[in-house]
Amino acid sequence: MATWNMLSFQDAVSPIMEQLIMFHDHTMMVLTMITIAVIYMIMSLLFNKLINRFLLEGQMIELIWTLMPAILLIVIALPSLKILYLLEEINKPLITLKAIGHQWYWSYEYSDLKKIEFDSYMKQTNSIENNEYRLLEADNRITLPFNIQTRILVTSYDVIHSWTIPALGIKIDGSPGRINQGSIMIMRPGMFYGQCSEICGANHSFMPITMESINIKSFNNWIKNYS
């Protein structure tokens, strides 16, 4: 999860988040090269006293400074197209989780697992334990197995919400009357936190998302004991 003074991304727990971090580093490297080149040319113009009064046109120079930005854009665009394809690809999900945004809490449905349904409210400060996080803990956690393909369906009951867990690299808008779809593949067990990322009203900051990732055996036991 995010902590104080964290300037980078959270540790990736899904293949999509790993790809997003790699794409970020790739893009930042290209931008760094462009920035250094531009600063070098500006400094050269400022401190260079040589001029060419007779240079009226230079087709080769114009060709170069037209092609170079186009090539750089292609270098950035190709990896991003790959990630867009991965975000939309869902290969035979074994579990479907539906998240419904309300003002101001989330409700969840495991539609294909015994019709498991529950509401998830933020825990009050006076009820959190020592190992829990203020404003991020929910009274009912989402429980999902790791290394299992999961489909997430997001919608809203009233206004536009946004279901977001940064460590998973997932952010899906929940719009009234519409269902948006996403894919989750958790690679390891743990606790992962998120929040609504769309300003949805007065208590927008108080509808966290708490997800617990466990092995498939423990998940089956959780389903059997849920009632």
Side-chain angles (χ1 to χ4, degrees):
M1 62 169 293
T3 57
W4 293 106
N5 298 325
M6 180 180 286
L7 300 179
S8 186
F9 295 99
Q10 299 181 28
D11 293 336
V13 294
S14 71
I16 290 177
M17 190 59 189
E18 286 184 345
Q19 292 293 324
L20 288 172
I21 293 175
M22 292 175 61
F23 175 67
H24 169 268
D25 296 341
H26 169 76
T27 306
M28 288 302 297
M29 182 60 67
V30 174
L31 293 178
T32 301
M33 293 170 56
I34 294 173
T35 303
I36 292 174
V38 171
I39 292 176
Y40 172 78
M41 288 187 288
I42 292 175
M43 298 301 291
S44 298
L45 290 174
L46 290 176
F47 295 102
N48 189 0
K49 297 181 180 180
L50 301 177
I51 60 173
N52 190 342
R53 295 179 297 171
F54 303 103
L55 180 61
L56 299 179
E57 65 173 336
Q59 294 182 358
M60 182 58 65
I61 294 177
E62 293 179 359
L63 179 64
I64 292 173
W65 71 40
T66 301
L67 288 179
M68 285 186 63
I71 294 173
L72 289 175
L73 289 175
I74 293 173
V75 169
I76 295 174
L78 291 179
S80 66
L81 292 175
K82 174 186 175 182
I83 295 176
L84 285 175
Y85 176 78
L86 291 175
L87 287 172
E88 297 296 330
E89 182 182 14
I90 299 179
N91 186 20
K92 297 180 180 179
L94 297 179
I95 300 173
T96 298
L97 173 68
K98 185 177 181 180
I100 305 172
H102 303 262
Q103 290 183 311
W104 287 272
Y105 65 96
W106 295 97
S107 60
Y108 298 99
E109 300 176 4
Y110 291 79
S111 303
D112 48 1
L113 297 175
K114 296 172 57 178
K115 287 292 183 179
I116 298 176
E117 302 177 2
F118 57 86
D119 296 332
S120 181
Y121 290 85
M122 185 191 74
K123 271 193 174 183
Q124 299 299 319
T125 303
N126 56 8
S127 62
I128 62 175
E129 300 178 4
N130 291 331
N131 60 341
E132 294 180 336
Y133 298 98
R134 177 177 171 270
L135 302 181
L136 288 177
E137 291 290 345
D139 56 357
N140 290 313
R141 298 171 177 172
I142 309 167
T143 303
L144 288 175
F146 58 88
N147 292 332
I148 296 293
Q149 185 78 30
T150 303
R151 175 172 56 188
I152 174 73
L153 304 176
V154 182
T155 186
S156 173
Y157 182 78
D158 35 48
V159 298
I160 298 177
H161 299 276
S162 186
W163 196 85
T164 307
I165 298 182
L168 295 176
I170 188 167
K171 181 179 183 294
I172 305 176
D173 290 338
S175 303
R178 177 172 179 174
I179 297 178
N180 293 322
Q181 179 176 268
S183 176
I184 298 175
M185 171 65 82
I186 307 172
M187 298 187 298
R188 60 179 172 84
M191 294 288 298
F192 313 114
Y193 299 93
Q195 291 175 304
C196 177
S197 297
E198 185 76 29
I199 298 177
C200 56
N203 291 330
H204 154 71
S205 301
F206 306 109
M207 48 185 304
I209 302 164
T210 307
M211 175 180 289
E212 183 177 6
S213 174
I214 57 179
N215 59 51
I216 187 64
K217 182 178 179 181
S218 300
F219 180 72
N220 290 332
N221 292 332
W222 176 78
I223 294 173
K224 293 177 182 177
N225 296 329
Y226 187 88
S227 60

